[in-house]
Amino acid sequence: MSGWLRRLSATYRTAVAAEAAGEYIEAAKAYALCDERHKVAEMHILEAGRRAVPGSAVGELLVAVNLLSDDREAPALLLKRLGEALLRLLRSRDLIDSDRELALHAGRVLARADEPVLAAEAFERAGDVERAVEVLTQAGDIDRVERLLAEQARVREQTARETELHAAYESALLLGRRDEAYAQLRTLCEVAKDAREPQRLADELRRKLLTSGQVELWLSSSTPGSETVRERVLLALPPLLVGRGEECGLLLGDPGVSRQHVRLSSVSEGCFAVTDLGSKNGTFLDGLQLSEKASLPLRHEGELGIGQHLRMPFTVESSVLSLQLRTGMRRGLNVRLSTELLPLPGRLGLRFATGRPVVQSEGEELRLNGQRVPSGVQLIRGDVVEQGAVRLEVL
């Protein structure tokens, strides 16, 4: 059927009537029966313009793209309308990964419509600066080309900077330099074009950082021919506040424990003292009750009582105060305090640097979360540190 005959047919008249009534999908179906490819594409472009849901509009525009992509006779005006419709959709929202293909479609269509400025914008949105430069060069828009190239150089520099900072963060994290890793993330948050992921990583790392002068962990060790010994240990810098309040370093939820019950402190090199903080049920040293808010030195070995039921044998040796909870809800917990290096099994030791726990190793290989690392690991929650038969699991 010739073109004139198609236009005189009842189906064509139905298509025209549906288009006039704004029923673009019905019009597209009727135009398709008349083999009016360009009108079908136009109807889908018009239908996209009335769709409130972006995803639905995209579907209509993609139908038009498929109809016109290989059509060498497609009118420039129709191609321009399609390209502009795609661009309007892209401008109306934050770009996502799937939008890159839409932007490329828009660029190709607009280039065919001889609209280099709009085509360049579409290619630029797709991240294809080379194509944007190409169409602008063909159009003789040298100023815009220079601006695009300068912007491309800036983007490359920023991308390289972001990559460098992220690599530095990952390296510092794996090697146990956690303050340095956090600092790299903070810098990355400041310079990144999209700071959401580095901010998430920074928030996650901040929650794991230990900066209060104490660390609680499971400590496992064994020697050849012996069973593995596993103990829960609290290592801390004095002073250590003991009680049932959340502010206490040694948190005890047992009955009879005051919110702030006692304070364990270092009074001089290698010497410690216990101070009652006005506890309701008293503090006892070797069975003798301390006067309210009184302090007594802790020497050699003995037993510290918290209220009427909690008992903690202690020893003072080599500048370390060691206590063991024998009763109560946290019985079995070992507590060790020192202002100096706290010795651990094997050839390990732990010190606090500005409140941060740092594990040191002498001679033997140290592994952090399965990765071989040098001595001087700043611990965070969830770490596993191993040296030979010694294993630390940070809580």
Side-chain angles (χ1 to χ4, degrees):
M1 184 184 296
S2 70
W4 283 108
L5 287 177
R6 285 198 303 270
R7 287 169 173 77
L8 293 173
S9 70
T11 304
Y12 191 87
R13 291 197 299 274
T14 300
V16 172
E19 178 183 355
E23 298 172 357
Y24 299 125
I25 296 301
E26 294 303 317
K29 293 176 182 177
Y31 280 129
L33 293 174
C34 298
D35 198 24
E36 293 286 341
R37 189 182 187 88
H38 298 160
K39 289 297 291 185
V40 174
E42 182 184 356
M43 293 305 102
H44 284 286
I45 295 170
L46 289 171
E47 180 65 20
R50 65 192 295 175
R51 296 288 177 94
V53 179
S56 179
V58 167
E60 298 298 328
L61 292 175
L62 287 177
V63 172
V65 168
N66 289 332
L67 287 167
L68 300 177
S69 59
D70 297 325
D71 187 347
R72 296 182 180 277
E73 297 180 357
L77 183 59
L78 183 59
L79 292 171
K80 180 182 178 183
R81 288 177 64 185
L82 175 57
E84 288 178 333
L86 287 165
L87 261 184
R88 278 195 301 273
L89 188 65
L90 293 168
R91 291 165 180 163
S92 67
R93 62 183 183 179
D94 293 332
L95 294 186
I96 56 177
D97 290 343
S98 59
D99 286 338
R100 183 176 185 275
E101 191 63 30
L102 283 181
L104 287 173
H105 284 313
R108 296 185 192 108
V109 166
L110 288 165
R112 289 175 58 198
D114 197 22
E115 294 288 339
V117 174
L118 292 177
E121 179 186 345
F123 284 130
E124 193 176 352
R125 287 178 179 272
D128 192 342
V129 177
E130 286 77 10
R131 291 289 298 279
V133 168
E134 180 183 336
V135 295
L136 287 172
T137 301
Q138 291 173 356
D141 194 342
I142 303 304
D143 290 341
R144 183 103 186 266
V145 167
E146 290 178 349
R147 287 196 298 272
L148 267 179
L149 291 175
E151 176 63 15
Q152 185 182 37
R154 188 195 67 78
V155 169
R156 284 176 176 168
E157 288 177 5
Q158 175 159 340
T159 301
R161 176 64 171 149
E162 291 183 23
T163 302
E164 177 187 350
L165 286 168
H166 193 271
Y169 147 73
E170 288 187 327
S171 176
L173 186 70
L174 288 173
L175 294 176
R177 302 195 298 266
R178 273 49 188 272
D179 281 344
E180 181 181 333
Y182 184 70
Q184 297 289 357
L185 281 178
R186 294 306 307 148
T187 303
L188 182 54
C189 288
E190 293 172 1
V191 305
K193 183 177 181 180
D194 184 351
R196 287 175 294 183
E197 180 60 13
Q199 186 62 60
R200 184 191 68 80
L201 293 173
D203 292 342
E204 179 182 339
L205 181 54
R206 186 179 66 251
R207 287 191 293 269
K208 293 180 178 181
L209 287 173
L210 300 164
T211 60
S212 60
Q214 63 184 65
V215 57
E216 193 165 340
L217 46 83
W218 282 107
L219 175 57
S220 306
S221 62
S222 63
T223 55
S226 67
E227 294 184 358
T228 299
V229 177
R230 181 175 166 86
E231 59 176 336
R232 189 162 179 160
V233 182
L234 174 66
L235 305 172
L237 269 176
L240 178 66
L241 197 60
V242 181
R244 60 178 176 82
E246 292 292 334
E247 68 276 15
C248 295
L250 177 52
L251 186 61
L252 302 174
D254 301 87
V257 178
S258 298
R259 183 175 183 84
Q260 293 187 5
H261 202 108
V262 299
R263 181 173 60 248
L264 302 171
S265 55
S266 174
V267 292
S268 61
E269 187 176 347
C271 297
F272 299 88
V274 57
T275 303
D276 180 87
L277 299 176
S279 63
K280 183 176 180 181
N281 293 294
T283 302
F284 301 84
L285 180 58
D286 293 331
L288 298 175
Q289 184 171 358
L290 277 68
S291 300
E292 186 175 327
K293 298 189 177 180
S295 296
L296 284 179
L298 300 176
R299 297 191 179 95
H300 308 302
E301 61 182 43
E303 184 181 75
L304 186 64
I306 305 294
Q308 300 297 322
H309 305 291
L310 292 181
R311 296 293 177 265
M312 293 187 287
F314 71 84
T315 60
V316 177
E317 185 178 2
S318 302
S319 302
V320 178
L321 170 61
S322 302
L323 307 97
Q324 184 181 40
L325 275 72
R326 291 277 181 86
T327 58
M329 296 172 64
R330 303 203 69 188
R331 60 183 175 275
L333 176 69
N334 293 315
V335 181
R336 298 172 194 165
L337 281 75
S338 181
T339 57
E340 301 177 12
L341 187 72
L342 283 158
L344 297 172
R347 306 186 69 179
L348 294 177
L350 184 139
R351 62 181 176 84
F352 289 94
T354 61
R356 293 143 168 81
V358 178
V359 171
Q360 296 180 328
S361 171
E362 294 183 8
E364 294 185 40
E365 178 182 292
L366 192 65
R367 302 188 74 85
L368 172 63
N369 303 321
Q371 177 84 27
R372 185 175 179 177
V373 294
S375 178
V377 170
Q378 180 189 339
L379 298 178
I380 59 175
R381 292 182 179 87
D383 272 344
V384 175
V385 178
E386 297 168 291
Q387 184 197 64
V390 180
R391 178 182 173 93
L392 312 178
E393 302 168 51
V394 182
L395 300 174

